[in-house]
Amino acid sequence: MRNLIALAYFLFALLGCDTGGSTLIARATSNGHDTLHARTRVQAGIGRFECIASDSGRCHYALFARECAPRQPDCRELAFERFSMTVGDSREIVGLPMALDLCVGQHEHPATSGPDCKSSQPDTALAASIEAAR
């Protein structure tokens, strides 16, 4: 089903229809040097994640739901998706919620860090919220 929705939005894009979306640039610099630079675009439930620069050579992501279902009161504490990629790589994920929080950093986030990205290495992770246009 997710792939069918992605195909429909792809066809809409070919026809020139704009479905809205949100773009987030996460960038940290030190003395004019990018220590972390990542771009995220979420449009119609499809997320495109790009790792542009990172001192560690990798960008690590953790995605969190903005809202929980009634029977999942602690869903905001656990990432529903975690992944990393090397500098220069990109990844697409289909079926994302319209509103989500994410952490992106140079180092892997501990399993206990939540959407605020608090960890033992606070200077290497950036928190952000995305709300895609409907």
Side-chain angles (χ1 to χ4, degrees):
M1 183 66 173
R2 293 179 354 172
N3 290 336
L4 182 61
I5 292 170
L7 177 62
Y9 282 110
F10 175 73
L11 292 175
F12 289 146
L14 284 178
L15 297 173
C17 300
D18 185 13
T19 57
S22 296
T23 300
L24 169 77
I25 307 292
R27 194 169 195 175
T29 60
S30 176
N31 297 324
H33 166 74
D34 283 338
T35 57
L36 177 67
H37 188 180
R39 181 178 17 233
T40 302
R41 171 99 174 130
V42 177
Q43 181 176 7
I46 302 169
R48 179 172 174 81
F49 303 86
E50 298 175 75
C51 181
I52 300 166
S54 173
D55 275 356
S56 71
R58 299 189 69 79
C59 295
H60 299 271
Y61 288 85
L63 308 180
F64 299 87
R66 173 90 48 86
E67 297 176 7
C68 296
R71 295 183 186 256
Q72 294 179 320
D74 60 347
C75 77
R76 299 232 342 111
E77 299 301 317
L78 302 173
F80 66 84
E81 185 81 34
R82 289 181 184 273
F83 60 94
S84 68
M85 63 181 105
T86 59
V87 171
D89 283 350
S90 65
R91 177 179 180 181
E92 284 192 358
I93 299 177
V94 178
L96 293 176
M98 296 303 279
L100 61 96
D101 295 319
L102 68 89
C103 292
V104 59
Q106 301 173 38
H107 304 286
E108 190 169 358
H109 308 290
T112 56
S113 73
D116 58 2
C117 299
K118 289 184 179 175
S119 72
S120 60
Q121 299 168 318
D123 296 338
T124 63
L126 300 171
S129 295
I130 294 181
E131 181 132 10
R134 294 178 192 249

